[in-house]
Amino acid sequence: MISCSRCCLHRSIRITNFLVNVIGVAMIIYSLWLLKKWKNGVIQLDGTSSLPTPWFIYTCLGLGIVECLSTILGHSTANCISNTTIAIYIASIYSLLLVEAVIIVTVFFKINWQMRISKYIDENHKEFKTFVLFQVVLCRLISISVSIAQLSVALLASILWAIGFEPILHRSSSDHPPNSTYSFLDDRTSSFGDSSPDGLAERLFKFRIGERLRKSFRLIQDAKVEYSNV
């Protein structure tokens, strides 16, 4: 049951990382397109030197690059077998999410983009002004959404770290089928190398059965010897 949970978590991390990677690539393409639209619109305005820096575009672009890089670590973490490695990954992702949250709040919530853009873009370029304000809202929604997706990856990794990884001895014994020439009472064919209560109980049960069978066999042999001597 625990092994099945581990497999599901590994698969979920891979799928979520893939989706985050796709979103990150889309964010990069969208940000470059939006930056080109911004530059083309600024050329048609007067007093372009006083326009504010489009930090909302650069923020979206930077987040897209960071998401693509973080998915590489996420993919390697999904295939790792070390609790230390996944703990380092979780700590780095949560730190990165904290930095992203600070940047998103600073750029999209503390800066009044509507007032800044309205100050430099007059009514003669109302279409460009509406376009920019809409893109500011869209960049904010995209940035928050991708941060939530990255947070879900970190949560899945945290659950995987809490469950732990399958012991190497148990995994190696399960990879090779037991030799059918040995007795089912022989410990060499026993796959109950774990320390769970169910495994210990079943192993103890088989040990007791084996002891009883061996005692019965010895009694039969002793009886045969005594009968032959008579």
Side-chain angles (χ1 to χ4, degrees):
M1 189 56 144
I2 296 178
S3 300
C4 183
S5 300
R6 292 192 192 100
C7 293
C8 292
L9 285 172
H10 280 290
R11 193 167 300 173
S12 300
I13 292 175
R14 292 191 187 99
I15 294 174
T16 310
N17 267 317
F18 175 76
L19 294 176
V20 172
N21 191 19
V22 172
I23 295 174
V25 173
M27 287 176 68
I28 294 173
I29 298 174
Y30 165 73
S31 300
L32 294 176
W33 170 81
L34 185 57
L35 187 60
K36 181 179 179 181
K37 287 289 186 180
W38 171 270
K39 290 181 179 180
N40 292 337
V42 167
I43 293 175
Q44 302 175 3
L45 302 176
D46 297 331
T48 57
S49 59
S50 60
L51 281 173
T53 305
W55 289 113
F56 61 94
I57 301 178
Y58 296 133
T59 300
C60 190
L61 178 62
L63 288 177
I65 296 173
V66 169
E67 300 304 326
C68 290
L69 294 177
S70 66
T71 53
I72 298 176
L73 294 176
H75 180 72
S76 60
T77 302
N79 297 319
C80 74
I81 56 173
S82 172
N83 280 331
T84 304
T85 304
I86 196 170
I88 295 173
Y89 169 76
I90 292 170
S92 61
I93 289 298
Y94 280 123
S95 301
L96 187 61
L97 284 171
L98 182 61
V99 175
E100 290 179 3
V102 172
I103 294 175
I104 290 173
V105 170
T106 303
V107 174
F108 293 106
F109 292 96
K110 289 190 175 182
I111 299 177
N112 192 342
W113 288 104
Q114 184 174 3
M115 184 182 67
R116 284 198 173 191
I117 293 173
S118 300
K119 182 178 179 181
Y120 297 104
I121 302 177
D122 53 18
E123 296 297 330
N124 296 328
H125 302 86
K126 187 176 181 180
E127 183 178 354
F128 178 66
K129 175 184 174 181
T130 304
F131 172 79
V132 172
L133 292 177
F134 174 76
Q135 298 303 322
V136 170
V137 176
L138 187 59
C139 287
R140 179 173 60 191
L141 292 176
I142 293 174
S143 301
I144 294 174
S145 300
V146 75
S147 297
I148 293 175
Q150 192 176 15
L151 177 62
S152 65
V153 176
L155 291 176
L156 290 173
S158 301
I159 296 173
L160 182 61
W161 176 76
I163 293 177
F165 292 93
E166 188 176 4
I168 296 177
L169 292 177
H170 177 69
R171 190 185 318 174
S172 61
S173 63
S174 62
D175 290 340
H176 302 284
N179 193 342
S180 58
T181 59
Y182 293 137
S183 171
F184 75 97
L185 299 174
D186 197 338
D187 288 340
R188 289 174 293 183
T189 62
S190 178
S191 61
F192 304 102
D194 57 341
S195 59
S196 62
D198 295 337
L200 291 176
E202 189 167 355
R203 191 172 181 180
L204 181 60
F205 177 72
K206 284 192 173 185
F207 176 76
R208 289 178 177 176
I209 292 178
E211 286 294 323
R212 289 182 180 274
L213 290 177
R214 280 190 287 269
K215 288 180 180 179
S216 300
F217 181 77
R218 283 197 297 268
L219 290 175
I220 294 173
Q221 292 296 329
D222 293 340
K224 287 183 177 180
V225 171
E226 291 180 359
Y227 179 76
S228 61
N229 291 333
V230 172

